[in-house]
Amino acid sequence: MTMEDAKKNVFIAERAYKNLYTLSNIGTKLPGSYENEVEAVNFIMNELSQIQLDLQNDYFDMEIDLSRASGGYPFKNLLNQYQGVQNIAVKLSTKNSTSESYLLVNSHFDSKPFTPSAGDAGVMIVTMLEILRIISSTKQTFEHPIVFLFNGAEERSMQASHGFITQHKWAPNCKAVVNLEGAGSGGREALFQSGPNHSWLLQYYKKYIKYPFATTAGEEIFQAGFIPSSTDFEQFTTYGNIPGLDMAQIINGFVLHTNYDTIDVIPRESMQNTGDNILSLVRGLSNATELQDIQKWNGDFKVPLFQMGVSGHYIGDEGDEQSLKFKSSFPSYSIVATWPSVYMRYIF
């Protein structure tokens, strides 16, 4: 979509692309550096100020909170300590909303050394900005407040997300998270982690994602430690005890954490695809009745989940009628494979 479509209340990849050009041109954004702590923060704050000016004030309230956090936590075999890491949090809520359950949407703007980090995770930062701009400037209301978290220290063992979920005033109200990452540049974003123990999130993914791309095999491989990496999703589920969806662009993974992670390898069509998906998902989850009592849905694994590409499918251990019917729909060459997990079994 281009700026000519701006009045249609849809994700505009052209506008997001211009923002990504500005953000990635700041260059390397190491936590603690001038580029990260001043230039990147100023860019995001300026965009948020413009979004706030265009806010539908009769329909929404919008709060912007720039904060610093200090703390520590065990990470692998080390004690990871941090001081003064920055978080930019924005809470958007429908006017006079009484809901105390928030949806959290997160990504990070810092980078590894020697990379402009357009894909990891600049593209997700500008996607969040564009989604916030669209939702706040239309008259389509929602039930639960949405917190957009732009965090400034993920590449140092997810320090900023830890600071937010353990210390921020809005953290106790966050009941589910959509975490947006970059493990490459361009292509479709993949859902590679979910839950834990909240299959209803996948039902929302199935219903609202326009161009689904998910893999349960990726989740098992990632969580088994075969990929030596972590995301902010781990901090939210571990220290916030909240479920969610972890999504990342994974095409062109060879550019990750290198000086080749530039805007040039990210097609505008890729940004449009991701923007359409996440905008629809955020709108859906911000009206989820499950957020009202998140623990009520903990451990709900009694139904088949979804069928997307090479994705796996849940089958009840009891051999219930729905699972048996689902299994019988597959060709004779299909096999049942049990993955190293205590609660799921998949068919491929």
Side-chain angles (χ1 to χ4, degrees):
M1 296 291 182
T2 66
M3 292 302 298
E4 296 179 357
D5 302 298
K7 294 183 179 180
K8 298 180 181 179
N9 301 326
V10 294
F11 187 91
I12 306 297
E14 180 181 5
R15 185 161 50 197
Y17 200 83
K18 290 179 180 178
N19 277 340
L20 181 58
Y21 180 83
T22 302
L23 180 61
S24 61
N25 274 353
I26 294 174
T28 298
K29 297 173 282 294
L30 286 174
S33 69
Y34 181 83
E35 290 80 5
N36 192 66
E37 308 303 325
V38 178
E39 290 192 47
V41 169
N42 286 345
F43 163 75
I44 295 172
M45 291 296 289
N46 288 339
E47 287 299 312
L48 293 175
S49 296
Q50 185 59 53
I51 292 172
Q52 197 166 36
L53 288 175
D54 298 331
L55 179 72
Q56 287 279 358
N57 291 292
D58 292 338
Y59 292 84
F60 304 111
D61 292 319
M62 178 175 165
E63 299 178 58
I64 304 173
D65 184 76
L66 173 60
S67 63
R68 292 182 179 271
S70 300
Y73 56 95
F75 181 70
K76 297 182 179 179
N77 59 343
L78 301 172
L79 176 61
N80 191 313
Q81 292 187 295
Y82 57 92
Q83 182 175 0
V85 297
Q86 294 197 84
N87 281 311
I88 305 171
V90 183
K91 185 175 74 169
L92 183 68
S93 55
T94 298
K95 187 75 75 173
N96 300 320
S97 171
T98 60
S99 174
E100 296 183 355
S101 299
Y102 304 168
L103 172 66
L104 176 63
V105 184
N106 171 77
S107 193
H108 69 94
F109 56 85
D110 65 311
S111 76
K112 288 287 190 180
F114 313 116
T115 174
S117 60
D120 180 26
V123 67
M124 294 305 188
I125 289 292
V126 300
T127 295
M128 287 170 55
L129 286 171
E130 182 64 12
I131 289 172
L132 175 58
R133 188 192 316 274
I134 296 163
I135 295 178
S136 64
S137 61
T138 64
K139 298 179 181 180
Q140 183 176 340
T141 59
F142 46 90
E143 181 178 358
H144 306 294
I146 309 169
V147 174
F148 293 85
L149 176 59
F150 305 85
N151 86 68
E154 188 269 349
E155 297 293 0
R156 287 186 177 177
S157 305
M158 301 88 67
Q159 295 170 340
S161 57
H162 179 270
F164 174 85
I165 203 62
T166 59
Q167 302 173 36
H168 198 275
K169 59 184 179 181
W170 295 334
N173 297 88
C174 294
K175 304 302 181 183
V177 60
V178 176
N179 189 59
L180 303 174
E181 255 294 354
S185 290
R188 299 180 292 175
E189 77 290 341
L191 171 63
F192 65 100
Q193 290 193 99
S194 64
N197 303 341
H198 285 264
S199 64
W200 64 271
L201 285 164
L202 294 172
Q203 300 290 4
Y204 276 80
Y205 181 90
K206 176 183 178 181
K207 180 177 180 180
Y208 289 101
I209 290 289
K210 296 183 176 181
Y211 314 108
F213 182 46
T215 169
T216 53
E219 178 175 81
E220 296 292 350
I221 292 171
F222 193 86
Q223 294 183 1
F226 294 118
I227 300 176
S229 182
S230 300
T231 72
D232 287 322
F233 185 77
E234 180 179 327
Q235 302 289 54
F236 298 128
T237 58
T238 301
Y239 295 99
N241 195 31
I242 60 175
L245 302 172
D246 200 6
M247 306 165 69
Q249 289 192 351
I250 59 175
I251 304 301
N252 299 321
F254 59 88
V255 307
L256 180 66
H257 296 166
T258 72
N259 61 344
Y260 299 105
D261 186 6
T262 65
I263 192 172
D264 300 327
V265 297
I266 304 176
R268 194 169 301 181
E269 295 81 2
S270 172
M271 296 184 68
Q272 187 68 55
N273 184 95
T274 295
D276 289 343
N277 278 344
I278 306 304
L279 173 60
S280 180
L281 180 64
V282 169
R283 285 197 185 278
L285 287 174
S286 63
N287 286 300
T289 57
E290 290 84 353
L291 291 184
Q292 297 172 357
D293 184 5
I294 203 71
Q295 292 306 316
K296 177 182 177 181
W297 303 94
N298 191 356
D300 176 24
F301 291 106
K302 297 298 182 182
V303 294
L305 299 184
F306 53 88
Q307 180 177 356
M308 287 169 279
V310 296
S311 167
H313 309 269
Y314 170 73
I315 296 179
D317 289 330
E318 312 91 316
D320 57 276
E321 181 179 353
Q322 192 174 19
S323 292
L324 292 174
K325 180 180 179 181
F326 176 72
K327 181 180 178 181
S328 66
S329 68
F330 278 75
S332 58
Y333 53 79
S334 299
I335 60 171
V336 174
T338 302
W339 291 85
S341 172
V342 298
Y343 57 81
M344 290 185 181
R345 183 174 294 168
Y346 299 96
I347 184 170
F348 291 88

